[in-house]
Amino acid sequence: MTKGDLIFDGNEKQIFATDQPDRVIFRYKDVAVAYNNVKRARFKGKGALNNQISAMLLDYLNRNGVETHFIELLGENEQLCRKIEIIPLQVVVHNRIAGSLATRLGVEEGFRHPNTIVDMRYNDDDLEDPFINRDHAVAIGLATYEELDRMYDTARRVNDLLKPLFHQAGIELVDMKLEFGRATDTGAIIISDEISPDTCRLWDEATEERMDKDRFRLDLSRVVESYTNVRDRLKKVFES
Ligand code: TYD
C-alpha cells in the first residue's frame, strides 16, 4: 500500500489517496476544534489516541455485523479505510440529554429519558449544521428514504453495541455522532469517519466526570489525560 496525494485537509484529520482506488489513509492530527471551528487548540498525543480509540470501536462494529470504512491501523496516527462517497448528514444518538439538546428542550444537563433519541443534522459549516428531517434530506437530494431508513436502523444498532461496551469500561455513552457514506467498492451504505471522544459524550459512570471533547469545549483541562483513560479502559475490555 503506497500513500498518495493529500485529498482532504481538515482541521482534525487529513485523508490521503493510495495506490488502490477504493482505499484511503486517514491521518489524525493533534488539533481540536469546537463551536463550528471558532475555538481551536493543539493537544499533543490526541491524534494518536483518537486513531486508536476509533480503530478499536470501528473494528468491533465490523466484527459485529455493522459495516464501517475501517480496514486496519497503519501507524500511530494513521488508519487504512475504504473510500466512500460522502453523505453530508450527521446522525446523532442520545441516551441522556446533554449539550445543546438540553438547551433546545429546556431540561437540565444529564436529564434521563427512557427512550433513545435520534437526531439528524445537515453537515454544512456555512449553515452551522442545522437539524433537518427525512423529508428535508430527500427534498435536497442527500439520500433516498430507503437509505435514510438504513442509516437510522444502523445508528440504533451501533448504539445497542457500543452502549454496553462502554459500560464494561465503566463509561456511560451519553450521546454520539455518526456519519455514513456510500462505499466506492460495493456501493453499500457504511459507517464512515471516526467514533471517538471527539464525536461522543462519554461520562465516567462512577463520578459523572466528562471524558470527551466537552473537556476542551468547556475548558475543563486534562483533555489528553481523559482520552488516554478512555483508550486504556477500552483496551482492557478488549483484552479481557
Ligand atoms: P449535538 O447534540 O448534535 O450537539 P451539541 O454538541 O451542540 O450538544 O451533539 C451530540 C454529540 O455529537 C456530541 O457528542 C458531539 C457530537 N457532534 C460532533 O461530533 N460533531 C458535530 O458537528 C456535532 C453537531 C455534534
Side-chain angles (χ1 to χ4, degrees):
M1 181 68 53
T2 315
K3 194 166 165 182
D5 294 339
L6 178 67
I7 52 179
F8 170 78
D9 195 7
N11 289 306
E12 296 166 308
K13 266 169 308 207
Q14 292 173 317
I15 304 174
F16 295 87
T18 69
D19 53 357
Q20 295 183 23
D22 297 321
R23 302 281 181 267
V24 292
I25 292 171
F26 267 58
R27 180 174 181 80
Y28 287 75
K29 295 183 183 177
D30 283 346
V31 175
V33 295
Y35 306 123
N36 208 14
N37 307 335
V38 170
K39 187 171 167 145
R40 184 187 187 91
R42 269 186 74 81
F43 293 99
K44 197 169 159 30
K46 172 182 170 280
L49 286 161
N50 276 351
N51 185 40
Q52 290 163 27
I53 294 167
S54 199
M56 282 192 273
L57 297 174
L58 294 171
D59 179 54
Y60 180 71
L61 294 177
N62 281 337
R63 287 188 281 111
N64 282 278
V66 177
E67 255 189 281
T68 81
H69 71 153
F70 176 76
I71 299 171
E72 63 180 355
L73 271 176
L74 294 177
E76 267 240 303
N77 287 65
E78 293 185 345
Q79 54 183 259
L80 182 66
C81 293
R82 289 164 71 184
K83 191 170 181 184
I84 53 118
E85 178 205 318
I86 291 173
I87 300 173
L89 291 170
Q90 301 175 334
V91 181
V92 184
V93 183
H94 302 264
N95 294 307
R96 209 168 148 181
I97 294 178
S100 63
L101 184 58
T103 312
R104 192 152 54 102
L105 298 183
V107 300
E108 79 271 15
E109 180 82 358
F111 182 86
R112 291 177 193 274
H113 46 92
N115 56 335
T116 305
I117 299 169
V118 185
D119 268 331
M120 191 162 68
R121 287 171 171 261
Y122 179 21
N123 197 352
D124 185 311
D125 284 351
D126 292 340
L127 300 176
E128 297 185 3
D129 301 339
F131 289 99
I132 65 170
N133 65 29
R134 288 156 46 88
D135 296 333
H136 298 141
V138 173
I140 60 172
L142 302 181
T144 64
Y145 283 112
E146 293 72 28
E147 288 175 328
L148 291 163
D149 284 345
R150 190 167 168 74
M151 289 162 62
Y152 275 107
D153 289 349
T154 306
R156 286 179 187 275
R157 169 114 180 90
V158 169
N159 190 51
D160 289 345
L161 286 163
L162 296 190
K163 209 172 128 178
L165 180 79
F166 276 112
H167 173 62
Q168 284 183 66
I171 296 170
E172 182 172 356
L173 176 61
V174 170
D175 61 32
M176 72 178 150
K177 183 263 305 176
L178 298 171
E179 292 187 24
F180 293 83
R182 298 180 190 91
T184 58
D185 47 9
T186 63
I189 300 250
I190 63 173
I191 299 271
S192 62
D193 206 25
E194 71 190 288
I195 305 181
S196 74
D198 273 7
T199 62
C200 300
R201 282 197 172 87
L202 304 169
W203 293 2
D204 185 310
E205 281 184 349
T207 62
E208 298 216 331
E209 191 171 76
R210 290 159 199 265
M211 306 174 75
D212 55 66
K213 204 187 210 175
D214 272 350
R215 300 209 70 82
F216 164 62
R217 291 191 192 96
L218 307 172
D219 296 317
L220 299 176
S221 79
R222 290 188 287 110
V223 175
V224 173
E225 196 182 315
S226 298
Y227 283 38
T228 305
N229 198 346
V230 171
R231 193 265 321 265
D232 291 348
R233 289 202 208 179
L234 283 175
K235 226 171 136 186
K236 219 166 149 186
V237 170
F238 284 116
E239 280 164 5
S240 66

